[in-house]
Amino acid sequence: MPAADFSHVRSWVFDLDNTLYHPAARLFDQIEVRMTAYVMDSLGVSRAEADRLRVHYWETHGTTLAGLMREHQIDPGPYLDDVHDISLDHLDPDPELAARIRALPGRRIVYTNGCAPYAERVLAARGLSNLFDAVYGVEHAGFLPKPEARAFDTVFWIDGLDPSVGAMFEDDPRNLAAPHAMGMKTVHVADDPHHADHIHHHTADLTDFLTRVQG
């Protein structure tokens, strides 16, 4: 039962995109369009080639940004500002989810491969502001992305987080491998389950899952 499995947890770590809101909002569709345009402009390539590179960098380096930085020395600041300049009109406040997060015992943080200012905008649109003790973006990990273990190590060191009493909630199964290896409870948040040894739980409904965790 989830309640028993999480009775020791005192640090709750949530990814942002497609985790604290449902993918039906399709925010990442907007971000991908802007990423492709940025790759086109920065590298002088066609849209088709930019799309190919965007996916290739995500698969190879963890994020498109990581690939652009490592292979083309792209400045991350302007990139992050540009690709996250999107409409949040499809997001609605979720008071039930807010209540469940507020009731969690211990420390609550957001850790995203996006940037922290974007995360704060999303949290505000979802009615989740002021629920978290900290919000960390890729900039806090020196622009190293999840799923790299060093990225988790850096953010958790900054936060003073003890993984042995932590839980990680993520939509991307890759990003649960390092937390699992560190001793955290791992929860895959997605419509379709992904079966892997590093995933302890799956849920298609984060609010319902947190309700069951709290007994």
Side-chain angles (χ1 to χ4, degrees):
M1 294 295 292
D5 215 16
F6 290 79
S7 61
H8 68 293
V9 173
R10 292 298 177 270
S11 293
W12 308 83
V13 186
F14 294 89
D15 178 45
L16 181 76
D17 289 310
N18 298 337
T19 299
L20 290 177
Y21 64 83
H22 192 273
R26 306 188 74 85
L27 295 193
F28 217 75
D29 288 3
Q30 297 183 63
I31 293 173
E32 286 181 348
V33 168
R34 298 192 70 86
M35 287 194 294
T36 296
Y38 204 94
V39 173
M40 289 174 63
D41 292 343
S42 299
L43 305 186
V45 297
S46 68
R47 184 175 303 278
E49 176 63 4
D51 264 330
R52 186 193 71 80
L53 287 171
R54 176 177 56 77
V55 174
H56 168 68
Y57 293 152
W58 181 83
E59 293 175 343
T60 305
H61 299 287
T63 62
T64 300
L65 174 60
L68 288 171
M69 290 179 66
R70 290 167 183 169
E71 298 192 19
H72 303 283
Q73 293 73 55
I74 292 294
D75 183 352
Y79 170 92
L80 289 169
D81 290 342
D82 187 281
V83 302
H84 291 118
D85 184 17
I86 63 169
S87 169
L88 302 183
D89 290 346
H90 296 301
L91 294 183
D92 295 312
D94 190 337
E96 292 186 17
L97 177 58
R100 295 278 64 83
I101 292 174
R102 186 179 294 110
L104 291 171
R107 188 167 176 80
R108 304 177 297 269
I109 72 172
V110 171
Y111 174 29
T112 174
N113 268 343
C115 58
Y118 162 71
E120 296 282 9
R121 288 179 59 218
V122 171
L123 294 175
R126 290 287 281 153
L128 304 178
S129 296
N130 303 316
L131 295 179
F132 296 96
D133 297 286
V135 176
Y136 298 105
V138 67
E139 64 269 37
H140 293 99
F143 300 102
L144 283 175
K146 298 181 283 185
E148 291 195 27
R150 282 192 300 154
F152 287 96
D153 285 340
T154 300
V155 168
F156 292 170
W157 179 81
I158 292 171
D159 195 74
L161 186 148
D162 178 358
S164 70
V165 292
M168 183 81 202
F169 296 79
E170 262 277 359
D171 71 297
D172 188 342
R174 301 182 306 170
N175 295 344
L176 291 171
H180 177 272
M182 299 166 79
M184 301 180 78
K185 288 294 179 184
T186 56
V187 184
H188 180 220
V189 183
D191 287 341
D192 299 318
H194 180 91
H195 301 289
D197 290 342
H198 66 271
I199 295 175
H200 293 124
H201 297 274
H202 166 265
T203 183
D205 186 334
L206 180 59
T207 301
D208 176 71
F209 188 85
L210 293 180
T211 300
R212 290 187 288 123
V213 162
Q214 294 165 33

